[in-house]
Amino acid sequence: MRVLGIETSCDETAAAVVTEGGDVLSDVVRSQVALHAPYGGVVPEVAARDHARAVVPVVREALSRAGVAAADLDGVAVTSRPGLAGALLVGLQAAKGLAWAAGKPLVGVDHLVGHLLAVFLRRGGAPPPEERPSFPYIALLASGGHTAIYRVDGPSLGAIRELGATRDDAAGEAFDKVAKLLGLGYPGGPVVDRLAATGDPAAASEAVPAVMARKESLEFSFSGIKSAVARHVARRGRPEGQALHDLCAAFQGAVVDALVQKTVRAARVEGVERVVLGGGVAANRGLRARMAAACERRGLALFVPPFASCTDNGAMIAYAGALRLAAGERDALDLAPETRTALPRVTRKGGGAR
């Protein structure tokens, strides 16, 4: 089975052809970072307009690299939720038109499910069996728009359960906002990660509080640490040189510690011995290193996708769609975009007593 996947949920226009076994035959991603950088974040209308310009060339390139025509496909998968409404609509219309014209089945994919299953993608050859997890596993999904811990018992929506999520900002969003406060540009996550590698977190620890450290909770809150950095900058000005590196290291360390500790705690509470990282923040070197060390200490098996499978891509959508098609599932051409995930939520947004 060969499935085309189209992803336009936010600021990447992506398309890929993938088999139901996870073999990536092609994967084309067109980033909008340069378009949004002057604004310090994603502008929905700008994103939707650029998707409209790029989606057809990106799909054509994905088919060309895979060496297939639309008639050779077994189905078309597309991100239908969650995401920016206008951006999702562009991808959906392109997928519907292609599926209708080629007479192929259409399936919508939840973007978060795509991330949770991206660890099964095989790029450039099949990895050894030990590099692909078996069900169930605990997954930390951390990106610019989403941060949550899930128990994944299978690939279907009903087999995925949220254990805890952020009450406010996502981890990637906190990275971007702190980077903006420090004058590091957009996107800020990779820059903070690079500077943190040569910083001393202890030298700036007084400026950065722990992130929602209650031991029994699997929820996150990153608004407090963002505000603490803002107050530090307001009092002392933007740091430079080694002081900037130290502040980045302290901030990243606090965020990563929370992500690692709560993910490992979830694995212990659920009695699951496999941990998976997913989402754009999973490309963070500090997170990868600390999660690997924590899992090794506790005898947990850690599975981390390659960088290309962490950030938004069409391959993860194609694979999740292929599994839906293999299960006999289809969607009608009236499939509509939804800004929220279909995965049930247990974490309530905002502050206050729980």
Side-chain angles (χ1 to χ4, degrees):
M1 182 182 292
R2 291 174 293 186
V3 176
L4 172 72
I6 299 175
E7 153 63 23
T8 63
S9 65
C10 190
D11 60 342
E12 278 93 15
T13 310
V17 179
V18 176
T19 72
E20 80 276 14
D23 294 301
V24 180
L25 306 183
S26 68
D27 190 16
V28 179
V29 179
R30 183 183 187 276
S31 174
Q32 297 180 0
V33 166
L35 285 177
H36 300 291
Y39 309 103
V42 177
V43 181
E45 181 65 18
V46 173
R49 288 178 180 272
D50 195 66
H51 286 311
R53 287 188 291 265
V55 66
V56 171
V58 166
V59 167
R60 284 176 175 163
E61 181 65 19
L63 293 173
S64 175
R65 292 186 189 180
V68 300
D72 302 320
L73 297 171
D74 294 289
V76 179
V78 60
T79 303
S80 59
R81 62 192 307 165
L84 304 173
L88 288 170
L89 186 61
V90 173
L92 272 167
Q93 294 301 88
K96 290 177 183 179
L98 181 59
W100 178 81
K104 304 297 179 181
L106 173 77
V107 286
V109 172
D110 190 296
H111 181 83
L112 303 191
V113 174
H115 275 304
L116 294 172
L117 299 178
V119 68
F120 294 104
L121 294 175
R122 300 189 290 193
R123 298 175 181 271
E130 63 269 17
E131 293 187 13
R132 306 180 82 192
S134 56
F135 298 111
Y137 55 80
I138 298 299
L140 170 65
L141 172 54
S143 68
H146 310 278
T147 298
I149 300 172
Y150 296 92
R151 176 181 172 123
V152 183
D153 289 294
S156 65
L157 285 171
I160 301 172
R161 178 163 56 93
E162 180 191 300
L163 303 176
T166 179
R167 295 180 176 182
D168 38 59
D169 292 347
E173 185 179 5
F175 269 93
D176 286 339
K177 288 181 177 178
V178 166
K180 188 174 182 178
L181 286 169
L182 299 176
L184 300 179
Y186 173 85
V191 182
V192 172
D193 187 26
R194 176 171 53 82
L195 297 179
T198 55
D200 177 12
S205 59
E206 79 287 350
V208 180
V211 175
M212 200 172 171
R214 287 197 299 118
K215 290 185 177 181
E216 71 278 9
S217 174
L218 295 178
E219 298 180 356
F220 304 94
S221 174
F222 298 107
S223 62
I225 189 173
K226 174 198 65 181
S227 298
V229 174
R231 289 192 296 269
H232 179 78
V233 172
R235 287 195 307 265
R236 302 190 181 185
R238 287 178 176 174
E240 298 179 353
Q242 187 59 43
L244 175 60
H245 293 229
D246 294 342
L247 184 56
C248 287
F251 166 76
Q252 176 166 292
V255 173
V256 166
D257 282 348
L259 295 173
V260 171
Q261 290 170 11
K262 295 188 182 231
T263 301
V264 171
R265 186 181 306 142
R268 185 181 70 248
V269 170
E270 292 293 316
V272 175
E273 299 180 348
R274 291 165 293 277
V275 173
V276 169
L277 292 186
V281 179
N284 182 282
R285 293 171 296 178
L287 174 59
R288 285 173 173 244
R290 293 198 198 186
M291 187 70 80
C295 287
E296 184 177 3
R297 287 195 302 270
R298 291 161 177 79
L300 301 173
L302 177 64
F303 302 87
V304 185
F307 291 132
S309 296
C310 292
T311 53
D312 290 354
N313 62 88
M316 67 183 191
I317 303 304
Y319 177 65
L323 295 183
R324 285 199 64 199
L325 287 168
E329 299 177 24
R330 305 288 189 273
D331 284 309
L333 291 178
D334 61 355
L335 179 65
E338 296 286 346
T339 58
R340 296 189 177 188
T341 178
L343 295 173
R345 293 178 174 179
V346 299
T347 301
R348 180 169 63 83
K349 292 290 186 179
R354 293 299 195 268

